Amino acid sequence: MKCNNCILLLTFLCSFVDAKSSLICTDGFTLINNKCLKLFSTPSNHQEAEKSCSRFGATLVTVKNANDSQAISTITKSSAPLVWLGLYCFDNYPSRCLWDDGTGSAHMFSNFSNGFPLVQLGNCVYYSTRGVLAEKWLNSDCAGNRMAYICELPPTFKDNCTHNYNGFCYTISQYAKVPLKAQESCQKEGGNLVSIHSENENRYINTIAPVVDYFIGATWNFYNILKWIDGTDMQYTNIDLLNSNRVDYCTAMATKSGGAHSTGSWYSADCSITKQYICKRRAGVQCSMTSTTAIPFPEIPSNCNVGIQMAPGVINSRNLSGSVNCTYQLATLGPYKIALKFTFFDTGNDYVTIYDGPSTESPILGRYSGNMYEFTRTSSGSTMVVTFKSDGFGNQSGFNAGFSSIVY
Ligand SMILES: *[C@@H]1O[C@H](CO)[C@@H](O)[C@H](O)[C@H]1NC(C)=O
Ligand SMILES: *[C@@H]1O[C@H](CO)[C@@H](O)[C@H](O)[C@H]1NC(C)=O
Ligand SMILES: *[C@@H]1O[C@H](CO)[C@@H](O)[C@H](O)[C@H]1NC(C)=O
Ligand SMILES: *[C@@H]1O[C@H](CO)[C@@H](O)[C@H](O)[C@H]1NC(C)=O
Ligand SMILES: *[C@@H]1O[C@H](CO)[C@@H](O)[C@H](O)[C@H]1NC(C)=O
Ligand SMILES: *[C@@H]1O[C@H](CO)[C@@H](O)[C@H](O)[C@H]1NC(C)=O
């Protein structure tokens, strides 16, 4: 089957390379009670300790049950009297103490010493390994106090890949591709464009990815719902809320701060441009392909002359040809303005005109042709109209834009 705009879904039959497929730890961590732990004896404050763990994509140790507590005693072997936990208290209740790994509060399980949590002594929490307070949790000043700490990683399966985390291998592409081609490349390696299911996994990917932004495997469907291309559930999202312009159906991750998006956040990205990308496959398995099915990549409507569209949405000239006379009517709810962001613009002699209001009688916000770098125009009220006219459209690349609501 020949299809230029299709995702080929490959079906694999996989089996563990090692029949016993035992759990292992990477980076010199030790497997104890199904956790990978590593003790660092250099006294550090809480923030330094967190930072040190994040170099491995790890977090400070968390204690969710009695086994976890026992694991701490096992690894310290009483060599460190006190160790930091990855727990931060906002108030003097376990339910107001949150685990650093994003899994919630210490409400379900805790072992605070009598009279604790006590944030008057500090917001961070440490674990005492010996003495009368053995296995008890106490508060201390996050910045002022220094002690040993334990980093924690999830165990994984044996595999010879470079980035092996929590049962999966991750690869950072060397070359930039459009998402469709990127997905094909990932499939050739037995995986998919990466899906991300927790704060920890998101953080891990950030630590292995160098300094550019990458395509990830999330696509918006026609109804504005974000889906993972590998079919897994979207239980976790990290969309950049301050920068959430929907420009297209594809998604990229900002891996290092300094750009328009905060580190590790996801944003809507143009499906027709190329970027590097991240693939993910199961670790420790050997797969053979059993079948392929071609499914069309989400059709991207131009939304030319479709009537009023509520934010967020996209408008573009992609699916148009011949003579074109398009009006795009954009709207949002009363308390908001519309931000229209062009991610691609190359219209030759044809003009795109933006009106600040509900019709083409409204004041002109801007009139553009030719080749433009990425730009954004914002309405003064809750409506905006865009027109695009051409006598012989077909040769130019056209434009691609996304619009969303922003507060005054
Ligand atoms: C809680 O602390 C006590 C010491 O008071 C210890 O005996 C017990 O094992 C601890 N429980 C857990 C689950 O850590
Ligand atoms: C603790 O470990 C024991 C033995 O390894 C296991 O049977 C039990 O399910 C574990 N409990 C939890 C809460 O993980
Ligand atoms: C390890 O690498 C070799 C090639 O370098 C490959 O053939 C083999 O399948 C890999 N094993 C696993 C478990 O990925
Ligand atoms: C794109 O154009 C083709 C024909 O040119 C049409 O059949 C199809 O419905 C269009 N798709 C969308 C999403 O507008
Ligand atoms: C383009 O469409 C608008 C309304 O949809 C109409 O008023 C205008 O006359 C059209 N222009 C051309 C050149 O067809
Ligand atoms: C422009 O499009 C016409 C008709 O589709 C084609 O014959 C011509 O080669 C194109 N010109 C360029 C420069 O692509």
Side-chain angles (χ1 to χ4, degrees):
M1 173 172 177
K2 182 85 186 126
C3 172
N4 287 330
N5 207 30
C6 281
I7 300 171
L8 286 179
L9 271 195
L10 314 181
T11 314
F12 290 98
L13 191 63
C14 298
S15 57
F16 281 103
V17 172
D18 182 352
K20 290 192 288 287
S21 68
S22 48
L23 288 173
I24 59 141
C25 296
T26 54
D27 290 311
F29 282 58
T30 309
L31 188 68
I32 302 172
N33 289 359
N34 285 326
K35 277 177 179 254
C36 292
L37 303 180
K38 188 169 184 169
L39 174 68
F40 294 82
S41 315
T42 315
S44 306
N45 68 31
H46 198 266
Q47 197 185 8
E48 290 161 353
E50 273 290 9
K51 220 166 160 180
S52 160
C53 292
S54 72
R55 282 186 295 123
F56 303 94
T59 55
L60 277 173
V61 70
T62 62
V63 183
K64 312 281 174 60
N65 55 50
N67 288 357
D68 293 355
S69 188
Q70 194 199 17
I72 294 185
S73 306
T74 308
I75 192 155
T76 55
K77 296 190 202 77
S78 306
S79 68
L82 313 172
V83 291
W84 286 120
L85 294 180
L87 188 62
Y88 185 97
C89 295
F90 293 91
D91 211 338
N92 294 340
Y93 308 94
S95 62
R96 299 279 291 145
C97 298
L98 299 186
W99 292 112
D100 291 347
D101 63 3
T103 51
S105 79
H107 170 65
M108 297 297 281
F109 177 86
S110 69
N111 205 16
F112 281 103
S113 188
N114 256 345
F116 286 80
L118 189 58
V119 296
Q120 285 74 10
L121 294 181
N123 299 94
C124 290
V125 178
Y126 67 91
Y127 179 102
S128 177
T129 67
R130 57 169 101 133
V132 285
L133 291 175
E135 298 182 35
K136 287 296 188 198
W137 307 2
L138 301 97
N139 288 79
S140 179
D141 183 11
C142 303
N145 220 331
R146 292 171 174 276
M147 61 184 81
Y149 57 95
I150 297 167
C151 299
E152 170 181 336
L153 272 177
T156 189
F157 296 108
K158 200 164 162 9
D159 199 293
N160 52 9
C161 59
T162 311
H163 305 296
N164 184 349
Y165 175 82
N166 199 21
F168 293 94
C169 286
Y170 301 80
T171 46
I172 312 290
S173 78
Q174 203 175 345
Y175 303 107
K177 292 187 178 169
V178 296
L180 197 59
K181 296 288 169 203
Q183 169 65 7
E184 280 176 25
S185 297
C186 292
Q187 288 184 336
K188 282 195 190 116
E189 308 295 318
N192 288 285
L193 276 172
V194 67
S195 63
I196 303 170
H197 297 282
S198 67
E199 179 73 32
N200 276 356
E201 187 177 15
N202 204 59
R203 193 176 342 198
Y204 174 76
I205 291 168
N206 242 267
T207 63
I208 61 170
V211 291
V212 297
D213 289 7
Y214 296 87
F215 278 124
I216 59 174
T219 57
W220 269 271
N221 71 6
F222 193 76
Y223 305 101
N224 266 325
I225 296 168
L226 204 56
K227 299 264 190 198
W228 290 118
I229 220 165
D230 64 9
T232 50
D233 286 343
M234 179 76 57
Q235 326 102 316
Y236 165 83
T237 65
N238 196 29
I239 297 295
D240 186 351
L241 292 175
L242 295 175
N243 238 312
S244 58
N245 264 22
R246 259 289 312 285
V247 302
D248 211 334
Y249 288 80
C250 296
T251 309
M253 180 192 213
T255 54
K256 292 287 184 305
S257 55
H261 305 275
S262 55
T263 305
S265 67
W266 312 345
Y267 60 91
S268 164
D270 195 328
C271 305
S272 58
I273 62 167
T274 64
K275 272 185 195 298
Q276 282 174 261
Y277 53 94
I278 300 171
C279 303
K280 175 181 178 181
R281 66 167 174 84
R282 285 171 62 194
V285 297
Q286 203 115 57
C287 302
S288 54
M289 205 194 301
T290 53
S291 68
T292 68
T293 341
I295 58 163
F297 203 58
E299 267 292 347
I300 296 158
S302 67
N303 289 326
C304 167
N305 298 329
V306 296
I308 295 173
Q309 296 183 72
M310 295 300 288
V314 293
I315 61 173
N316 63 73
S317 61
R318 265 191 215 168
N319 204 25
L320 308 174
S321 59
S323 165
V324 164
N325 179 13
C326 288
T327 302
Y328 306 89
Q329 295 172 271
L330 317 184
T332 180
L333 301 176
Y336 302 101
K337 304 191 286 187
I338 293 172
L340 176 68
K341 180 177 183 180
F342 289 83
T343 51
F344 182 84
F345 197 100
D346 185 9
T347 60
N349 296 326
D350 300 331
Y351 279 89
V352 168
T353 310
I354 306 171
Y355 299 88
D356 188 13
S359 74
T360 51
E361 310 286 299
S362 308
I364 291 180
L365 256 182
R367 201 165 134 76
Y368 308 93
S369 67
N371 194 332
M372 305 264 299
Y373 189 68
E374 199 171 279
F375 67 104
T376 302
R377 289 294 171 270
T378 304
S379 62
S380 58
S382 61
T383 54
M384 188 186 255
V385 167
V386 180
T387 60
F388 176 56
K389 290 200 182 77
S390 171
D391 291 334
F393 184 71
N395 282 36
Q396 295 83 25
S397 314
F399 73 92
N400 188 32
F403 62 101
S404 56
S405 307
I406 56 172
V407 289
Y408 280 101

